[in-house]
Amino acid sequence: MTHSDHGRLAGAARAVLEHLPGRSPAGGGQASPVQQTVTLTASAVDVLTALEDPGTLSRLLGELGSVQARGAGQRWTFAGGEGHDGLVWDTALARREDGLRYEGPTGGSTSSIDVTTSPAPRDHGTEVRAVADLPLPRAAAGAAAFTLLYRLRALLVTGEVPTLRPQPSARDERG
């Protein structure tokens, strides 16, 4: 998928999301934090260990951004898309018994990603909830939170992150 394909896909997704109830207009700022929740068969310790590692976070974000260690904190870089320049965000990591929180200044305010873990109902693993309060359009922040948790679940279950990139094969691709 090329960068222009990604931009067109993001634009189409924004157009669809504009018409869903409770969604803010495309290009508009985020009025409230976005939330995503998934249930994983992994332990809370495995989940939090993965989410503390900048290399794993970069792998999970994929084309949406990257994370690098920076001093005692981390630098998150979110890719720009159609109508959005992207975001560079320097964070501090706060660890808690039930989760972790990335927090840092962005343009005069404080932004955060708060991750909490709890036992899933009926002993079905760990419930992981991410709340992202970022200065990104609501659709972009929601997509980043969903992508992070969806790919985390795949990584912890299969050891691989799902991708749409072409896979090597012995087939003749000339068609």
Side-chain angles (χ1 to χ4, degrees), residues 22-171:
R23 298 291 181 156
S24 63
Q30 175 178 325
S32 61
V34 295
Q35 301 180 54
Q36 293 290 336
T37 304
V38 298
T39 300
L40 305 171
T41 56
S43 71
V45 171
D46 290 344
V47 168
L48 297 176
T49 299
L51 291 175
E52 289 179 15
D53 178 47
T56 301
L57 287 168
S58 288
R59 211 171 144 202
L60 297 174
L61 285 172
E63 70 282 352
L64 297 179
S66 63
V67 181
Q68 291 118 9
R70 183 177 170 112
Q74 296 177 343
R75 172 168 277 183
W76 294 60
T77 305
F78 293 97
E82 190 175 313
H84 180 52
D85 293 334
L87 172 69
V88 175
W89 180 41
D90 291 321
T91 67
L93 173 61
R95 293 170 183 88
R96 299 184 315 264
E97 187 175 312
D98 70 337
L100 50 90
R101 179 179 177 90
Y102 290 98
E103 187 173 66
T106 54
S109 65
T110 300
S111 296
S112 63
I113 297 176
D114 198 15
V115 179
T116 55
T117 61
S118 60
R122 295 186 287 185
D123 295 326
H124 285 172
T126 303
E127 195 168 84
V128 182
R129 180 173 170 238
V131 179
D133 188 5
L134 301 169
L136 294 171
R138 186 169 180 80
F146 174 80
T147 298
L148 189 72
L149 293 180
Y150 171 79
R151 291 179 178 171
L152 173 65
R153 178 174 52 199
L155 179 65
L156 293 176
V157 169
T158 68
E160 297 179 7
V161 175
T163 181
L164 295 176
R165 292 191 182 119
Q167 301 297 314
S169 69
R171 293 186 298 258

